[in-house]
Amino acid sequence: MEPSVAHRVEQVLERVSAQAGTRVSILDLLEKVEAAIGYVPLESIPRLAQSLGVSEAQVAGVLSYYPDLHTQPTGRHVVRVCLGEACLANHGNRVLQAMCKHLQADVGETTSDGRCTVETVYCVGNCGVSPSVVIDEDLYGRVTPDRLPALLERYK
Amino acid sequence: MTRLYLSNDTSSHAAGAHRLAEALSARPEVQLVRTSARGAFFLEPIVERDALGGRMAWFNVAPDALPAIIAGQGGTPIQEIPFLARQSRHTFANFGITEPLALDEYQLRGGLKGLEAAVGMTPEAIIQELNVSRLRGRGGAAFPVWNKWEVARQTESAEKFVVANADEGDAGTYCDRMLMEGDPFRLIEGMLICARAIGATSGYIYCRQEYPAAARALEYAIHKAKEAELLEVDGEDFELTIVRGAGSYVCGEETALLESIEGRRGVVRSKPPYPAVAGLYAKPTIVSNVLTFATIPEILARGGAWHASMGTERSRGTVVLQIGGRVKQSGLVEIPFGLTLREALDRFGGGIASGARFKAVQVGGPLGSLFPESKLDIPICYDAFAEAGAILGHGGIVVYDQETDMIDLARHFMAFTADESCGKCTPCRIGSVRGREILERIQAGEGSAEALDLLKDLGETMKATSLCALGGRAPYPVLTAIEHFREEFQRRFTH
Ligand SMILES: Cc1cc2nc3c(=O)[nH]c(=O)nc-3n(C[C@H](O)[C@H](O)[C@H](O)COP(=O)(O)O)c2cc1C
Ligand code: FES
């Protein structure tokens, strides 16, 4: 693990141990690391396990179980196209195809310049104005393939 | 000073409300009030202003239309919109009207009356009122609410928990999200009533990762409720904590959800024991859906008999539908149980989107059945759906048009289950992978009549032997697709 990444893991652990009295679970801690660093480095598992007083296997098990926890750094932006049924019915799969084509990256891949990682998501509760696309924290509705270039323009 | 109302709901934002808010912030003559959403998403973004006898509304507003609105030109009285006027809003009565985080507004419109009533009642009397109301859980399984509460009340324990299931995993549904963002005190009030009835010491809200705005609204509402000294049960502090999910569908199943709150892999537990006896940290726990909790305050305020007076014989009260997919009018609909699916689609959905032709409608999320045109006269209530082997689930209704490829849709459902299976039981874990493979072979032109028979056998095995409803219900959309669109599958066979 790069020293800078290890340092950020330590920072998360410090912040967590400062919140005395609250029950911190494996999932809690992993979500905090993900939020701070953008992924959970596999090399940090021993340190996280030790801080929680659980086995490495337990931490690894939780990490591999939850789709929202990454084990690799993502691109600068994460682009998620919804494939829930309300979006599918409104032909959200065409949005996904156009997205992959426009960014030249498949689902799960990051563009070669490190700009965007493409992912799918299963419903973001925006079905009333579907199809939906989420870029980082921003949610877009009624997305059509031809809107994508303008939409992505904001994310460099 | 002109006062304008604009929804702060996530989907209103996504439809462009944020651009309107930006444009209006540059106009000192406008006072902008950010409300919850009406639920008429096909009209969003909606701008409203006060008028005699209600509000005037402007629909699908673009920033360049704002000057006319500020000048008061045009507009439609909100009560004249059929989509809204035909509904019976109770749990969603405040939507589009109040500021979600203003506790005083919540109280002005009848909020906290249910809790007040409950504080003056014994736990037994609260549970009896729910029994009279005949409320059934809105999360999917439709279990009588009073029954679970009674078990938890009677189970002796120094610690008991109330857990709101805010995982809202079914695609096509968002009523829980709207409640948390738009009327969070109603959820908190329902949880407090439950806590009093069972003698709970603390509570959790398990909110999915995809709902950041809901979590923020709840965080703030909990803070405000604490300041107002509402978070107390029998004179003791009642701690309420938000736990965030991490993208797993099966974590909406109540025992997997409890595992997840405890921080482990969200693997389903075998039942019994039921959570009401041994749930979170093995203590008696009520896990209920957000909508269920939000329905309870008004029942306590108006009496169980009031609630029982609406709906059908065995489905009392209102049903909250979220109509979407290829319809003209997508949005949230609260009506008494009993309308047929066809009536609901016509009256509220407004028919199929222009230029499209109806193919099928799915009710109840990814585990729900598909209905072709000929099966739409089914009444929307738990029993008619159970009899048809279908579910209402969380009220999601998704309409597919003629361009939908049924084989690809069936494959999507099996792939979904294969991805989301917690892995504990074999029928779900292995069955879903086999099912996906068979459908992929049909897609590749390698299908045959035997492949469909195999799928059917596989589906029956999954239904009969899976540990939870993920594996147990996953075959339904696939088998109903085959049942109603068999020819489409056969056309892909090569032999
Ligand atoms: C695979 C699966 C997913 C589920 N997802 C949810 C969900 O997202 N939200 C929910 O309230 N209930 C969900 N349930 C139902 C819960 O197990 C449980 O029945 C419900 O939370 C009880 O609340 P209620 O009594 O208010 O309906 C799910 C069940 C299964 C089998
Ligand atoms: S299905 Fe895409 S937002 Fe709900």
Side-chain angles (χ1 to χ4, degrees):
Chain A
M1 194 165 29
E2 278 181 37
S4 66
V5 176
H7 178 66
R8 284 157 84 191
V9 171
E10 288 306 319
Q11 282 179 326
V12 174
L13 288 173
E14 264 167 44
R15 242 182 296 137
V16 170
S17 66
Q19 300 171 332
T22 49
R23 268 194 255 223
V24 178
S25 72
I26 302 175
L27 179 58
D28 274 339
L29 182 60
L30 294 177
E31 285 181 344
K32 290 196 166 81
V33 174
E34 169 89 25
I37 308 180
Y39 72 109
V40 183
L42 289 173
E43 303 89 332
S44 71
I45 291 175
R47 178 71 184 100
L48 299 176
Q50 179 215 1
S51 82
L52 288 165
V54 299
S55 73
E56 290 179 29
Q58 280 173 296
V59 175
V62 173
L63 179 56
S64 67
Y65 188 80
Y66 290 95
D68 286 350
L69 298 173
H70 298 87
T71 53
Q72 297 287 329
T74 58
R76 291 192 295 286
H77 305 287
V78 179
V79 174
R80 297 189 297 166
V81 180
C82 181
L83 289 186
E85 286 88 43
C87 288
L88 272 186
N90 282 313
H91 306 299
N93 45 1
R94 292 180 195 161
V95 175
L96 179 63
Q97 279 164 12
M99 184 70 86
C100 290
K101 197 162 162 226
H102 182 79
L103 290 174
Q104 304 224 324
D106 265 340
V107 175
E109 289 180 0
T110 301
T111 52
S112 53
D113 58 0
R115 180 176 160 222
C116 291
T117 302
V118 182
E119 296 184 350
T120 59
V121 60
Y122 183 76
C123 190
V124 289
N126 191 44
C127 335
V129 294
S130 66
S132 309
V133 169
V134 187
I135 307 180
D136 301 337
E137 296 278 281
D138 307 328
L139 173 62
Y140 298 91
R142 298 178 188 145
V143 179
T144 48
D146 55 327
R147 264 186 72 197
L148 293 180
L151 216 122
L152 286 162
E153 199 51 31
R154 269 163 262 177
Y155 304 89
K156 289 294 169 194
Chain B
M1 191 65 126
T2 308
R3 189 191 298 154
L4 297 182
Y5 302 89
L6 180 67
S7 155
N8 204 20
D9 181 271
T10 288
S11 282
S12 308
H13 268 254
H18 66 290
R19 278 186 295 141
L20 302 180
E22 257 169 47
L24 289 169
S25 67
R27 288 180 166 266
E29 76 276 26
V30 172
Q31 182 204 358
L32 186 61
V33 180
R34 304 305 300 270
T35 63
S36 47
R38 295 269 175 193
F41 287 112
F42 64 107
L43 299 175
E44 289 283 352
I46 303 173
V47 176
E48 299 179 22
R49 57 185 290 168
D50 292 311
L52 275 178
R55 291 203 196 140
M56 291 295 269
W58 286 259
F59 313 128
N60 301 118
V61 177
D64 59 8
L66 288 171
I69 296 172
I70 295 167
Q73 295 161 2
T76 309
I78 198 88
Q79 65 273 16
E80 286 177 16
I81 301 165
F83 180 88
L84 294 172
R86 289 170 177 166
Q87 300 194 28
S88 310
R89 289 285 179 93
H90 293 289
T91 306
F92 284 82
N94 289 344
F95 279 74
I97 299 169
T98 55
E99 286 181 272
L101 298 172
L103 184 55
D104 51 344
E105 281 189 49
Y106 179 63
Q107 266 181 291
L108 269 176
R109 292 186 50 89
L112 301 183
K113 288 231 165 62
L115 182 60
E116 268 164 38
V119 168
M121 293 161 79
T122 62
E124 289 89 339
I126 298 173
I127 293 173
Q128 178 53 25
E129 209 53 51
L130 283 175
N131 188 357
V132 170
S133 79
R134 300 181 58 186
L135 174 67
R136 296 168 69 173
R138 302 296 194 231
F143 195 74
V145 173
W146 75 274
N147 203 327
K148 275 204 315 207
W149 287 24
E150 181 61 13
V151 172
R153 185 186 71 80
Q154 284 186 4
T155 309
E156 297 282 337
S157 173
E159 240 187 328
K160 296 185 188 180
F161 299 106
V162 178
V163 175
N165 187 341
D167 199 48
E168 193 154 71
D170 287 2
T173 71
Y174 45 82
C175 63
D176 295 347
R177 179 187 65 66
M178 283 183 68
L179 280 165
M180 291 186 281
E181 287 184 26
D183 213 5
F185 295 113
R186 192 176 292 267
L187 167 61
I188 295 172
E189 186 180 353
M191 292 182 77
L192 285 166
I193 293 169
C194 176
R196 175 165 170 81
I198 67 163
T201 40
S202 52
Y204 291 86
I205 300 170
Y206 186 87
C207 180
R208 66 199 299 248
Q209 197 67 38
E210 291 80 1
Y211 288 180
R216 277 197 301 273
L218 279 173
E219 195 87 55
Y220 187 79
I222 290 171
H223 170 76
K224 272 208 141 172
K226 201 180 275 178
E227 263 183 10
E229 296 180 1
L230 289 173
L231 296 190
E232 280 176 15
V233 176
D234 297 331
E236 300 281 328
D237 282 349
F238 181 78
E239 195 71 37
L240 199 48
T241 310
I242 301 169
V243 176
R244 301 304 300 278
S248 156
Y249 176 75
V250 80
C251 282
E253 194 280 335
E254 57 187 4
T255 61
L257 181 142
L258 296 173
E259 287 291 308
S260 186
I261 294 182
E262 293 182 29
R264 289 190 289 272
R265 295 162 71 97
V267 174
V268 174
R269 299 177 185 168
S270 330
K271 292 187 260 193
Y274 288 92
V277 175
L280 189 63
Y281 304 109
K283 306 287 191 232
T285 303
I286 289 298
V287 183
S288 272
N289 175 251
V290 168
L291 177 58
T292 309
F293 281 122
T295 307
I296 287 164
E298 200 173 7
I299 293 178
L300 269 290
R302 299 178 71 164
W306 160 77
H307 183 264
S309 72
M310 295 182 291
T312 65
E313 177 54 30
R314 299 193 53 212
S315 306
R316 302 298 174 102
T318 58
V319 62
V320 174
L321 306 173
Q322 296 117 93
I323 301 180
R326 295 290 279 160
V327 287
K328 282 206 181 75
Q329 306 186 158
S330 58
L332 177 130
V333 174
E334 182 179 5
I335 46 173
F337 284 97
L339 213 63
T340 69
L341 188 50
R342 188 186 304 279
E343 287 165 335
L345 286 173
D346 288 348
R347 228 174 264 187
F348 298 101
I352 190 93
S354 62
R357 262 201 343 270
F358 179 95
K359 183 159 190 178
V361 56
Q362 182 171 28
V363 183
L367 310 178
S369 305
L370 290 165
F371 296 82
E373 222 280 324
S374 60
K375 302 273 180 197
L376 295 182
D377 294 307
I378 181 171
I380 299 177
C381 62
Y382 297 122
D383 298 294
F385 270 65
E387 253 168 59
I391 47 167
L392 275 179
H394 200 40
I397 296 186
V398 174
V399 172
Y400 298 99
D401 70 13
Q402 82 285 3
E403 287 182 39
T404 307
D405 174 345
M406 283 296 152
I407 297 125
D408 197 47
L409 191 63
R411 185 205 49 83
H412 160 83
F413 289 119
M414 276 295 166
F416 173 76
T417 307
D419 282 350
E420 298 293 342
S421 175
C422 80
K424 182 150 169 175
C425 73
T426 318
C428 175
R429 185 183 68 237
I430 308 286
S432 55
V433 175
R434 289 286 165 277
R436 191 196 63 209
E437 289 168 354
I438 296 171
L439 285 157
E440 281 168 354
R441 279 203 296 277
I442 297 176
Q443 277 187 311
E446 294 161 23
S448 62
E450 288 99 89
L452 290 191
D453 291 341
L454 196 58
L455 261 181
K456 186 147 185 13
D457 283 352
L458 184 76
E460 296 305 330
T461 308
M462 286 175 73
K463 283 187 198 175
T465 58
S466 293
L467 184 61
C468 84
L470 178 53
R473 290 261 359 152
Y476 282 85
V478 178
L479 297 184
T480 48
I482 297 175
E483 180 188 342
H484 303 305
F485 302 94
R486 178 172 280 273
E487 272 181 22
E488 193 175 326
F489 285 78
Q490 287 167 336
R491 259 183 271 135
R492 300 283 269 272
F493 295 168
T494 40
H495 45 87

